[in-house]
Amino acid sequence: MSYALVRPVRLDLDAYARATGLHPQAVRRLVALGLLEPVRNARGELCFTPAQVAAAARIQRLHEGLSINYAAIGVVIDLLDRIGELEAALRDLPRPR
C-alpha cells in the first residue's frame, strides 16, 4: 500500500472564486451546469483543483469573447477538446514519403 507524500492542492469555493475573479454564486452556477468539475471534501464543501482555474478562464473567454451562452459552452468545449485530440492524432501519423 502506498500513501501520498503531500496533500493535493485544493481550493475551497471562496479561494477559487478569488483566483478566478468570479462571484461564488457564479461558480455554483457553472458547477450546476456541469461546466466545472469540483470534488467535495469530508464536510461536503466544494473544492477545486488548480486545473479548474484554467477551465474557468476558458469558460470566461468563450462567454465574453464570443458571446456564447453558458448552456452552449459545454458543447463548444467538448468540440474544441475533440478537435485537439484529432489534431494530436494527425501529428502522430507517419508522413508519406
Side-chain angles (χ1 to χ4, degrees):
M1 181 179 271
S2 64
Y3 296 94
L5 297 176
V6 293
R7 268 191 193 167
V9 176
R10 302 262 192 248
L11 301 169
D12 66 11
L13 178 62
D14 290 328
Y16 182 77
R18 280 191 305 277
T20 59
L22 295 169
H23 189 277
Q25 192 60 35
V27 174
R28 285 188 193 96
R29 181 176 178 211
L30 295 176
V31 170
L33 289 170
L35 297 175
L36 295 174
E37 299 174 359
V39 294
R40 296 213 178 251
N41 64 13
R43 293 176 286 191
E45 299 166 339
L46 297 176
C47 292
F48 299 86
T49 64
Q52 290 291 304
V53 174
R58 187 181 196 191
I59 291 166
Q60 287 175 294
R61 282 192 311 273
L62 290 169
H63 179 68
E64 294 169 8
L66 299 176
S67 299
I68 299 173
N69 66 38
Y70 288 120
I73 286 176
V75 173
V76 172
I77 287 174
D78 288 344
L79 291 172
L80 290 171
D81 289 344
R82 183 65 181 140
I83 289 168
E85 291 169 7
L86 292 170
E87 287 175 341
L90 269 175
R91 282 190 298 273
D92 293 340
L93 287 176
R95 301 246 178 219
R97 300 209 180 237

